[in-house]
Amino acid sequence: MKLSDVWFTALSEDNNGKMFVVKGRDELGDFVNSGKYHDRAEVTWKYEADPKGMPSEHEAEQMENVQTVLQKAMEKDKLSIMTAVYTGNGEKIFVFYTRNVRVFGERLNEALEPFEQLPLSIYTEVDPEWGEYLDMYEMKQWAVE
């Protein structure tokens, strides 16, 4: 399976009408259909939001650095695939589908070791049908260029 690095960006609203940015990964059909990625892991970073719900420029840069490190670490042997990143309303959420939650957690800790402690929380759920990804992927029709 070849992992593409094709992404789209869309704007959406949460349940409270607050805007957020969705960065979704395209061309993952082979991974969705493989049956190997049964679990979804979400890494949430809460931040002090500006009036539009976005992070400060400094914090956004730090988040981008962490995102790059996490994506590289998780995808180096396709243990986990980053499928989406949501930003808005005081939180940034990195979404992965993984083959092994325990190893995902170990690799997450290893990847984040060089950073000072970050305000992160981790949530995992069994999602063999890729429900969250398929729901998010519907937003592609509203992608901005």
Side-chain angles (χ1 to χ4, degrees), residues 5-132:
D5 200 29
V6 178
W7 295 79
F8 65 89
T9 302
L11 301 176
S12 190
E13 291 183 354
D14 67 11
N15 294 336
N16 299 318
K18 296 271 189 177
M19 293 297 294
F20 65 93
V21 178
V22 178
K23 184 177 177 188
R25 197 161 201 174
D26 206 348
E27 302 178 4
L28 293 180
D30 288 345
F31 292 91
V32 174
N33 297 323
S34 73
K36 295 180 181 179
Y37 298 84
H38 293 271
D39 298 301
R40 184 178 75 249
E42 298 178 3
V43 179
T44 301
W45 182 326
K46 294 201 181 281
Y47 59 84
E48 193 70 39
D50 70 12
K52 293 182 180 179
M54 295 292 126
S56 68
E57 189 173 323
H58 171 74
E59 199 160 26
E61 285 179 29
Q62 189 179 21
M63 290 173 172
E64 190 69 31
N65 291 338
V66 168
Q67 179 178 332
T68 300
V69 166
L70 287 180
Q71 185 174 352
K72 184 177 180 181
M74 296 303 177
E75 294 181 353
K76 68 182 176 185
D77 58 1
K78 298 180 184 154
L79 166 74
S80 305
I81 308 300
M82 182 181 281
T83 60
V85 179
Y86 301 96
T87 308
N89 201 20
E91 50 183 33
K92 185 168 197 104
I93 304 169
F94 307 100
V95 182
F96 295 86
Y97 279 81
T98 186
R99 291 183 279 142
N100 186 305
V101 170
R102 181 187 57 77
V103 178
F104 175 89
E106 292 170 359
R107 193 169 294 177
L108 179 75
N109 286 332
E110 289 170 14
L112 296 176
E113 196 170 3
F115 296 94
E116 290 185 29
Q117 186 172 357
L118 300 169
L120 303 179
S121 61
I122 315 303
Y123 169 80
T124 62
E125 183 175 313
V126 175
D127 185 6
E129 302 298 320
W130 287 55
E132 191 282 335

